[in-house]
Amino acid sequence: MKAIRNFKGFIKEGVVKKQSRDKSRADFLLKESENSYNSLLGMLVKVKLDDSNANLFVKMCYDIIMEVLRAKMLLEGYNASGQGAHEAEVSYMRVLEFDEKDVQFADQLRYFRNGMLYYGTILDKVYAEKVVKFLKRMYPKMKSLARLETK
């Protein structure tokens, strides 16, 4: 896995385009992320995370993180699409001044999630637990950054 590139490079390549702010779509994504996050927390109480459902929990965590990042980008007038869009969205975490280790973990998560969808990668309980812990730590901060703009 190669190091994640700089966000400005994605703009230069045309993967990220500047556009008008899209507050309604951002609000929708934030509400979706909140519903998904609360559902995930509820599932963790009722369903034991194990090797057989690790991929499911990792996908859910990834989707929640990406919804919040996309919402923040839309509020700032950015939209990523096409090949490299997910990498660009993760790279945006640097613009938001997240710690580099968190950006790298999110990029690893992106890489593994891609592997699940396209190459049949099977993740285990130990990794899924790390991802859930990461989400629980990151989600409140990410959400608050996006909420600042929606008010």
Side-chain angles (χ1 to χ4, degrees):
M1 192 171 95
K2 59 184 179 182
I4 191 166
R5 297 176 291 154
N6 187 295
F7 185 72
K8 289 182 182 178
F10 291 103
I11 295 171
K12 192 179 280 189
E13 293 169 14
V15 174
V16 174
K17 293 181 175 57
K18 195 73 172 140
Q19 64 177 33
S20 299
R21 292 170 40 129
D22 192 340
K23 187 179 177 311
S24 65
R25 187 164 165 228
D27 285 342
F28 170 78
L29 288 172
L30 284 173
K31 285 180 184 131
E32 282 294 300
S33 76
E34 192 167 331
N35 290 339
S36 296
Y37 183 72
N38 290 330
S39 294
L40 175 88
L41 294 178
M43 285 177 63
L44 286 167
V45 170
K46 295 175 184 173
V47 178
K48 181 182 173 193
L49 196 162
D50 58 31
D51 287 342
S52 70
N53 60 23
N55 278 22
L56 171 68
F57 281 100
V58 170
K59 284 179 198 173
M60 287 180 72
C61 291
Y62 178 81
D63 289 343
I64 292 164
I65 290 167
M66 296 309 286
E67 285 173 340
V68 178
L69 288 173
R70 286 183 190 124
K72 180 63 175 168
M73 287 177 66
L74 288 165
L75 291 169
E76 296 295 327
Y78 292 111
N79 188 30
S81 63
Q83 184 154 358
H86 287 230
E87 186 180 355
E89 291 162 339
V90 171
S91 178
Y92 189 67
M93 290 175 70
R94 286 186 181 130
V95 174
L96 300 176
E97 299 181 351
F98 282 94
D99 290 338
E100 186 60 26
K101 69 178 175 52
D102 292 331
V103 175
Q104 293 301 322
F105 188 85
D107 190 48
Q108 178 192 69
L109 175 57
R110 177 197 62 79
Y111 179 83
F112 286 145
R113 183 263 189 187
N114 188 63
M116 284 187 285
L117 290 179
Y118 300 109
Y119 305 107
T121 300
I122 303 294
L123 301 173
D124 63 13
K125 173 187 173 183
V126 173
Y127 184 72
E129 288 173 336
K130 287 179 187 175
V131 172
V132 168
K133 185 177 177 181
F134 177 76
L135 175 67
K136 286 180 175 179
R137 185 172 57 80
M138 298 298 288
Y139 183 73
K141 181 178 178 184
M142 295 175 113
K143 188 175 129 183
S144 70
L145 285 171
R147 285 255 186 253
L148 292 174
E149 293 290 328
T150 62
K151 293 182 178 183

